[in-house]
Amino acid sequence: MVRDFPLSASSLADTRPEGSSPLESAMAALAGGTGTPQPARLAATIMLVRDGARGVEVFMQRRAASMAFAARRAVFPGGSLDPGDRDPVPWAGPCAQTWGQALALAPADAAAVVTAAVRELFEEAGVLLVDRVPDPQWTASARQRLLARDVSLGSLLREAGLVARTDLLGYHAHWITPAIEPRRYDTHFFTALLPAGQSADAETTEAQSAHWVAPERMLTEHRGLLMPPTIVCLEDIAATSRAADLVTIRSGIVGVQPFPLRTEGGWVLRVEVS
């Protein structure tokens, strides 16, 4: 199915010559063969979900204005891979080969992306997908050590005798940032249920606020804060009656890369989604 999302030039990083539209300049450069898209970095995003009083809810953040990518946008926790994500991690659940098949990646790359998903959820929301509920005092210290890059997730879990529960993750979607953007990510979207005994918080410098939200409300009242991948994922959540139904490893996921197109109504980002 083909979908068009209205595109504003102001949504791009304004790094083009003064007096020109960032979108027009980027498109002209690529069309003329003088522009080279930036490489897309592997990344992971996590849709943390729970059953609310009026349906499924998802944990979302409003990105800080100082962020270089998606500033002020409403997003799910996530980020790009760190070198430490390639360190071995003690885990229970699908093996690297199984994740590799699901993500269409080499097993080592898939393991790093899954590790990034677990790490980012812990860093940005304080939720750690492990085999038992960690001690709160240890959790606060461990989170700060990870954020400071003093230790990798694998080393941290081994020190504490914890095992990552990759079976608590589902795999939902794969989106790639448009070629015209100055910062690009090859992002795999995961799902996870809020574990019993844990709570998500807003204690991250990357967001100005964070809340549990109803997807329908985000789509109707705050649509201007959403990027196309977030819109499509929120629509999927809104169509689901139980949070647990979202946490499954979907097969046949195809990467989606929006591309800008000039229509009679103006510029749009066109995508092909299933």
Side-chain angles (χ1 to χ4, degrees):
M1 177 177 64
V2 175
R3 294 185 61 177
D4 290 339
F5 296 88
L7 175 62
S8 168
S10 62
S11 66
L12 299 174
D14 195 359
T15 58
R16 279 77 183 186
E18 184 177 355
S20 65
S21 159
L23 180 59
E24 296 279 5
S25 299
M27 288 299 296
L30 288 173
T34 59
T36 302
Q38 293 296 315
R41 299 176 59 187
L42 278 174
T45 288
I46 310 90
M47 295 182 283
L48 185 66
V49 293
R50 70 181 185 185
D51 290 314
R54 298 183 179 179
V56 179
E57 298 174 339
V58 62
F59 189 74
M60 296 193 70
Q61 304 169 327
R62 179 80 183 273
R63 294 267 286 180
S66 59
M67 298 303 295
F69 183 80
R72 301 184 181 87
R73 296 299 188 105
V75 300
F76 310 114
S80 60
L81 265 64
D82 282 340
D85 292 330
R86 295 191 178 274
D87 290 349
V89 174
W91 78 19
C95 64
Q97 287 76 13
T98 299
W99 281 114
Q101 293 174 354
L103 276 61
L105 291 172
D109 289 336
V113 172
V114 170
T115 299
V118 175
R119 175 184 55 76
E120 288 285 347
L121 184 60
F122 184 40
E123 289 180 353
E124 295 192 8
V127 173
L128 185 57
L129 303 179
V130 288
D131 56 333
R132 66 179 187 273
V133 179
D135 175 77
Q137 191 171 12
W138 175 89
T139 297
S141 173
R143 189 176 179 184
Q144 290 306 311
R145 292 175 66 195
L146 265 183
L147 287 166
R149 299 297 179 260
D150 291 337
V151 65
S152 68
L153 179 67
S155 296
L156 197 68
L157 297 185
R158 285 192 294 272
E159 287 177 11
L162 294 171
V163 175
R165 290 281 306 276
T166 66
D167 57 315
L168 299 180
L169 286 171
Y171 182 52
H172 193 78
H174 179 198
W175 287 74
I176 304 165
T177 311
I180 55 172
E181 290 280 15
R183 291 176 181 266
R184 302 185 61 234
Y185 298 93
D186 184 349
T187 307
H188 294 271
F189 284 69
F190 295 87
T191 52
L193 286 172
L194 177 67
Q198 297 193 50
S199 58
D201 61 43
E203 296 177 15
T204 173
T205 59
E206 296 188 9
Q208 62 188 49
S209 62
H211 305 279
W212 288 97
V213 299
E216 298 89 348
R217 182 174 180 182
M218 292 300 300
L219 290 166
T220 56
E221 298 181 19
H222 304 287
R223 198 177 186 90
L225 301 177
L226 307 174
M227 295 178 289
T230 316
I231 291 174
V232 174
C233 287
L234 284 171
E235 290 172 346
D236 291 342
I237 299 172
T240 305
S241 59
R242 292 193 323 134
D245 292 340
L246 289 162
V247 186
T248 182
I249 299 178
R250 298 175 65 188
S251 60
I253 296 294
V254 177
V256 178
Q257 181 172 316
F259 60 93
L261 182 70
R262 194 169 206 169
T263 68
E264 292 182 358
W267 285 100
V268 298
L269 277 178
R270 175 159 291 182
V271 301
E272 295 184 8
V273 294
S274 57

